[in-house]
Amino acid sequence: MAVQHKCFNCGKQAVSRITRDFIAEGNKKSVVIFCCSDECKEQIDDFVEYNNKNYRSFIWVGSFCLLLLLASYILCRINPSFLGMVYVAIILFGVTFLRYPFATWKVYRLMGLKRLQQVIRIVAVIVIALGLYGIFRTYML
């Protein structure tokens, strides 16, 4: 019995396989990707190109957001008037994941590219909304 592979992009049954160089978890790897159609292959190629071009930016921006969140939390513990900085850092995290909907290779394989990007973007919008609500609640009420 042959192993059934799912399309990396949409999750349908794959009909072809391609090999692409993909930066994941900090390393550029040659990975085998299964796809079901030429349309999915084009979308996968576009995403691989976008990922490889923007992965380092994602790491830098994410690291900056993490340091800002940590610094703002420490400042907030010293002086509660810095609470707004915590919410700004949370909003920046959401914007980062909205702009760069990246995940680990295992999660891509598990959920599929399209669905995972949708989930990441929905969560990013929720995080942004929570940050905005925090700012509104802190300074407007």
Side-chain angles (χ1 to χ4, degrees):
M1 186 170 172
V3 175
Q4 302 288 330
H5 293 285
K6 290 195 279 182
C7 178
F8 179 76
N9 189 44
C10 67
K12 295 179 184 174
Q13 185 170 341
V15 294
S16 64
R17 86 188 236 174
I18 55 177
T19 303
R20 297 291 182 262
D21 290 332
F22 188 82
I23 297 176
E25 296 144 18
N27 302 315
K28 193 168 198 174
K29 303 174 186 176
S30 184
V31 295
V32 174
I33 301 171
F34 295 93
C35 55
C36 66
S37 65
D38 288 338
E39 180 184 333
C40 279
K41 182 182 173 192
E42 286 179 28
Q43 291 175 356
I44 291 168
D45 285 339
D46 290 344
F47 176 74
V48 168
E49 181 181 333
Y50 179 78
N51 177 76
N52 292 346
K53 184 175 159 186
N54 293 294
Y55 186 80
R56 293 198 197 303
S57 298
F58 168 69
I59 296 298
W60 280 106
V61 172
S63 298
F64 171 77
C65 289
L66 186 61
L67 289 173
L68 179 63
L69 183 62
L70 181 64
S72 61
Y73 176 75
I74 291 169
L75 287 172
C76 184
R77 297 290 289 177
I78 295 169
N79 184 351
S81 65
F82 284 102
L83 184 60
M85 277 182 60
V86 173
Y87 293 124
V88 169
I90 290 170
I91 292 169
L92 288 176
F93 260 119
V95 170
T96 299
F97 278 99
L98 196 61
R99 173 76 169 99
Y100 304 113
F102 299 149
T104 64
W105 184 249
K106 289 179 183 178
V107 179
Y108 286 125
R109 289 218 185 257
L110 180 68
M111 293 185 69
L113 181 60
K114 272 186 187 178
R115 195 167 74 199
L116 182 60
Q117 285 185 328
Q118 290 172 344
V119 168
I120 290 172
R121 288 190 170 129
I122 289 168
V123 170
V125 168
I126 291 169
V127 168
I128 292 168
L130 289 173
L132 290 172
Y133 173 74
I135 288 176
F136 175 77
R137 187 168 173 239
T138 301
Y139 294 108
M140 302 298 178
L141 295 179

